[in-house]
Amino acid sequence: MSNSSGFDYSGLKRVLKIGMSYRFLFVSVIIIAILSAAVSTWRPYLIKEAIDGYILNHDLPGLFLFIIFICFILLLEVLLSFLLIFLSNKMAQKVIRFLRVKLFNHIINFKLSYFDRTPNGILVTRSVSDIETIAEIFNNGILTLMVNTLQIILIISVMYYMNWMVASIIIVILPLMVVITKLFQRVLKKVYQAERNLTAKLNSFVQERLTGMTIVQLFNRQKKEFESFKLINAELRDAFLKTNVYFALLFPVVDVVSALAIGMLLWFGGLRTAVHGDVSVGDVIAFISYITMLTQPMRQIADRFNSIQRGLIGADRVFKILDQDETLPNKGTDRLENVRGNIEFKDVYFSYVKGNPVIKGLSFHSKPGQTIAIVGATGAGKSTVINLLSRFYDIDSGDILIDGKSIYSIELTNLRKHIAVVLQDVFLFNDTIYENIILGNTQISRETVISAAKEIGIHDFITSLPKGYDTEVNERGASLSVGQRQLISFLRAYVYNPQILVLDEATSSIDTASEILIQNATEKITEGRSSIVIAHRLSTIQQADQILVMEDGKVVESGTHHELIEKGGYYQKLYEVQFQSGDN
Ligand SMILES: Nc1ncnc2c1ncn2[C@@H]1O[C@H](COP(=O)(O)OP(=O)(O)OP(=O)(O)O)[C@@H](O)[C@H]1O
Ligand SMILES: [Mg+2]
């Protein structure tokens, strides 16, 4: 965190260390920064030489040559300043690219419980805009600050070298400048922060309303939301105006101080020139240039500190996530090769939130090749079973075994390789249907996909879409119905040809055509494969080898459809309520 002087040195050190790892670039930038400061400070001195040495001595040929030399120096100054901006930007981009890749790779391996408690918006902000502010540390921050400071030191030294008495008079002005700079820095920091907070507020407001657009329109909230939006916007406008007012103030104030210094110089310098003759005309002109040059960096320094500050706040947030280890422990070393599909839950307890168990002593055993149907009321913990089997979450106690091996002794990627999951709420990427099926696995050919689609009976459905397999699904697959999305997800699972299949049937009602497609696909896909189906459809349930009835986190009954109906217990009641009264 930042200390009283406003700087977080450990964050700065870490960012610089990344910058330094691009050694050649880093060293070049530093050298160019030093050269640039030196050359720009040299120019006024050269003009003094031109006046005192050539113009006042009427040495025209010498003056001509000297002017060519000055032009050359000017060109050099331009070149250096170009290189400085270009290279420091290059370095900034290298650093943020490095950090962004690192951060994304870090987050993408976090366990799901982390995402349950961290809003997506925050992670997006961290990996996009917070990282961008880090660039400012290099772009406008440290390097320019370094050049500016170096310039100030050089200018003061040259001034003292030229005439210490005149220099001393002007230096009196310096503390005034420092005070003004400090003052503005403090005020600007505050208004900048307000500005940023309001921008974040506006962003999340807009994002949320866009995501919940159906709710907004359904409940006729447009007018109300619009009013709130206008309010935040007005606040943001005021914040920006405030920032601008301070900037508008800063420049004239600095100009006044600089004018004051020039006035003192003209009076005192002029006096020395006319009366004592120990200050030349060239000296006075060079001094005027130097004063203007001094105020320029002074004006900028307040802003530089803010840039660095902003960058460091971003860096601090990014490093905080990078320092978190939220990955699932992956200590297993065993590998499953040919899975037979013996799945066993042994007295499993689990809670998403500590102290609030959702699975309470769940036990069941499914034999190779069997299809197990899990039924139960909403919230009974059915989908949670999938989360546990694929190790999205770790259990509190008990054990889960595949072919007699605890899934905790199995290496995580190896475990997941053998399990294909069709989730209740299918997520599709903003890409073509084909890409959504192969998910970047180029070893799966188009022919494989098409013949798999034919096998499970959904080829006709896909080709009926505008561009067949190359149809773009919009964000989250919103352009497809829930049933259609599940069909695509079926195909995705099927081409991966897993040894264990887990299927969480969609709860929302599905049109009859999709219903039949899904039913056929389910039959085909579970054939000869160990499957766990969280069933909401009677047809699926009836075909299962074993039905587990779940209530409040455990199995309360199990058996085949007929056995359970005969028994006349919970299942029979569920059957009556869910499948006999309605149109299911
Ligand atoms: N990520 C989560 N964080 C906290 N609690 C959760 C989370 N996911 C589910 N729960 C809770 O766990 C319980 C079981 O949820 P689960 O999704 O397993 O129910 P389900 O049996 O699949 O219901 P449905 O038939 O509606 O799909 C519910 O009380 C739910 O509120
Ligand atoms: Mg569920």
Side-chain angles (χ1 to χ4, degrees):
M1 280 273 93
S2 46
N3 53 28
S4 58
S5 72
F7 268 140
D8 167 15
Y9 290 102
S10 74
L12 187 62
K13 244 165 72 189
R14 269 175 92 167
V15 173
L16 284 181
K17 215 167 151 188
I18 299 170
M20 272 186 242
S21 65
Y22 304 99
R23 197 163 304 150
F24 180 72
L25 198 58
F26 190 81
V27 173
S28 315
V29 167
I30 299 278
I31 292 175
I32 288 167
I34 294 171
L35 282 178
S36 171
V39 171
S40 60
T41 316
W42 195 16
R43 191 165 31 90
Y45 193 81
L46 288 176
I47 290 175
K48 165 202 141 65
E49 295 274 275
I51 293 169
D52 290 345
Y54 298 96
I55 297 179
L56 294 182
N57 289 334
H58 305 286
D59 177 3
L60 280 186
L63 180 66
F64 183 70
L65 281 180
F66 199 69
I67 286 175
I68 291 177
F69 177 64
I70 291 180
C71 286
F72 171 74
I73 292 295
L74 253 173
L75 275 179
L76 185 65
E77 202 182 324
V78 170
L79 181 73
L80 284 173
S81 132
F82 163 78
L83 280 178
L84 185 64
I85 295 172
F86 178 74
L87 292 180
S88 64
N89 268 304
K90 188 169 171 178
M91 186 151 88
Q93 290 310 319
K94 281 195 177 217
V95 170
I96 66 175
R97 185 193 154 271
F98 171 86
L99 274 174
R100 200 177 267 146
V101 169
K102 196 169 155 143
L103 184 70
F104 187 71
N105 188 33
H106 194 63
I107 294 176
I108 210 170
N109 285 306
F110 277 0
K111 56 190 173 195
L112 278 190
S113 57
Y114 177 82
F115 299 101
D116 286 349
R117 55 173 202 269
T118 316
N120 284 348
I122 292 204
L123 295 176
V124 173
T125 313
R126 294 292 174 274
S127 32
V128 181
S129 47
D130 280 340
I131 287 198
E132 240 146 54
T133 62
I134 296 179
E136 292 195 30
I137 297 180
F138 293 95
N139 281 352
N140 303 315
I142 292 287
L143 285 166
T144 327
L145 192 65
M146 194 181 112
V147 174
N148 286 349
T149 317
L150 211 67
Q151 261 177 342
I152 293 174
I153 295 172
L154 282 174
I155 291 171
I156 293 175
S157 317
V158 174
M159 280 175 21
Y160 265 92
Y161 167 76
M162 280 164 57
N163 188 300
W164 68 270
M165 248 188 300
V166 181
S168 302
I169 288 279
I170 297 161
I171 300 305
V172 174
I173 298 289
L174 267 188
L176 194 61
M177 291 285 233
V178 172
V179 170
I180 292 173
T181 309
K182 267 263 172 233
L183 215 70
F184 271 99
Q185 188 205 329
R186 274 237 290 280
V187 185
L188 279 175
K189 184 178 157 190
K190 244 192 231 151
V191 290
Y192 266 139
Q193 240 155 24
E195 196 185 290
R196 276 180 70 81
N197 287 341
L198 282 168
T199 310
K201 194 168 154 190
L202 190 68
N203 279 344
S204 63
F205 182 89
V206 172
Q207 196 202 339
E208 234 171 73
R209 295 319 176 276
L210 288 179
T211 317
M213 189 52 80
T214 38
I215 304 288
V216 171
Q217 297 191 349
L218 208 56
F219 289 87
N220 283 321
R221 301 265 311 165
Q222 288 103 318
K223 212 170 158 185
K224 190 103 189 40
E225 299 297 346
F226 182 56
E227 291 304 322
S228 320
F229 179 75
K230 278 206 294 204
L231 214 68
I232 304 178
N233 245 316
E235 278 182 81
L236 188 61
R237 173 202 59 203
D238 293 342
F240 270 106
L241 283 180
K242 215 167 170 182
T243 320
N244 278 329
V245 166
Y246 285 120
F247 264 114
L249 263 178
L250 173 66
F251 290 176
V253 167
V254 171
D255 282 345
V256 166
V257 176
S258 136
L260 199 69
I262 292 177
M264 282 170 72
L265 169 81
L266 283 177
W267 168 69
F268 190 70
L271 199 73
R272 302 288 322 175
T273 316
V275 181
H276 303 273
D278 60 350
V279 173
S280 69
V281 178
D283 284 340
V284 174
I285 289 175
F287 267 115
I288 291 176
S289 280
Y290 280 134
I291 289 167
T292 327
M293 278 179 76
L294 261 185
T295 49
Q296 193 121 14
M298 289 279 183
R299 270 214 277 237
Q300 290 175 350
I301 278 176
D303 203 32
R304 297 295 164 241
F305 271 105
N306 281 313
S307 291
I308 298 175
Q309 184 90 40
R310 256 201 311 261
L312 286 180
I313 291 172
D316 184 52
R317 291 174 169 172
V318 170
F319 286 140
K320 237 186 220 145
I321 297 186
L322 280 178
D323 290 342
Q324 258 171 332
D325 182 18
E326 291 282 352
T327 48
L328 270 188
N330 183 10
K331 299 206 185 79
T333 47
D334 283 3
R335 299 180 69 80
L336 289 171
E337 291 313 332
N338 280 313
V339 178
R340 290 171 43 239
N342 234 317
I343 302 166
E344 195 177 358
F345 273 59
K346 264 189 177 164
D347 199 26
V348 172
Y349 281 79
F350 167 73
S351 37
Y352 287 104
V353 183
K354 259 204 167 59
N356 189 7
V358 170
I359 298 294
K360 306 165 187 170
L362 179 69
S363 299
F364 68 83
H365 187 186
S366 106
K367 298 192 185 69
Q370 270 195 340
T371 299
I372 301 278
I374 302 181
V375 298
T378 178
K382 304 181 298 294
S383 299
T384 306
V385 172
I386 300 184
N387 288 338
L388 300 183
L389 182 64
S390 352
R391 260 200 86 190
F392 287 135
Y393 297 86
D394 281 350
I395 58 178
D396 300 337
S397 68
D399 206 355
I400 301 171
L401 310 158
I402 294 179
D403 289 352
K405 268 189 190 149
S406 165
I407 59 169
Y408 296 95
S409 70
I410 301 166
E411 202 272 322
L412 198 57
T413 36
N414 181 267
L415 169 74
R416 290 191 181 150
K417 205 175 88 185
H418 298 290
I419 306 174
V421 182
V422 175
L423 290 175
Q424 197 168 14
D425 190 11
V426 176
F427 179 88
L428 295 179
F429 291 97
N430 197 359
D431 208 331
T432 62
I433 290 190
Y434 179 71
E435 287 299 330
N436 264 294
I437 290 165
I438 65 165
L439 285 184
N441 184 345
T442 46
Q443 292 190 332
I444 302 173
S445 72
R446 212 174 169 90
E447 289 70 45
T448 318
V449 172
I450 292 175
S451 73
K454 282 181 180 157
E455 273 172 52
I456 62 170
I458 66 167
H459 177 70
D460 291 340
F461 150 64
I462 296 177
T463 43
S464 76
L465 294 169
K467 283 187 177 164
Y469 287 87
D470 297 315
T471 306
E472 292 273 345
V473 300
N474 295 345
E475 203 167 343
R476 285 166 175 271
S479 54
L480 297 169
S481 78
V482 178
Q484 292 170 332
R485 269 183 271 164
Q486 271 223 330
L487 283 174
I488 289 170
S489 178
F490 272 45
L491 185 54
R492 175 151 81 193
Y494 193 65
V495 292
Y496 268 80
N497 195 20
Q499 281 139 322
I500 296 172
L501 177 88
V502 185
L503 164 61
D504 199 349
E505 283 186 335
T507 28
S508 42
S509 45
I510 280 163
D511 60 282
T512 330
S514 304
E515 170 88 40
I516 295 170
L517 285 180
I518 287 189
Q519 195 178 317
N520 291 339
T522 309
E523 271 171 43
K524 186 77 199 172
I525 200 171
T526 52
E527 212 173 75
R529 206 188 298 271
S530 307
S531 318
I532 296 182
V533 183
I534 296 177
H536 295 283
R537 258 169 282 283
L538 185 58
S539 54
T540 329
I541 301 171
Q542 283 175 327
Q543 267 155 17
D545 298 299
Q546 198 192 158
I547 300 168
L548 305 175
V549 183
M550 271 187 82
E551 195 191 358
D552 196 22
K554 53 186 174 296
V555 174
V556 288
E557 285 174 16
S558 65
T560 63
H561 176 67
H562 292 292
E563 285 168 9
L564 288 173
I565 290 288
E566 215 125 283
K567 195 173 161 198
Y570 187 91
Y571 178 78
Q572 202 248 343
K573 265 188 245 137
L574 194 80
Y575 175 70
E576 271 175 14
V577 175
Q578 274 196 8
F579 303 114
Q580 297 228 300
S581 57
D583 51 1
N584 235 311

